[in-house]
Amino acid sequence: MNFPNQKRKAKFSDIELIAIDLISEHMGIDSAYQLFTALPDSLYNRIERSVYSKNMH
């Protein structure tokens, strides 16, 4: 269950975030920059980048 008091609407479910985390660990990705460059566009476009550096991609 996503956090109910968040102001932003979640674009990923909790299980999707866990899956991305496990896959990135398996692939040896250890930074947000590496993860964002490795994600396919279909996932990358769902990330709210206002909480990250906007020049990552």
Side-chain angles (χ1 to χ4, degrees), residues 12-26:
F12 288 101
S13 68
D14 291 343
I15 194 71
E16 288 173 313
L17 291 174
I18 292 168
I20 290 170
D21 183 53
L22 291 174
I23 291 168
S24 66
E25 283 289 325
H26 175 73

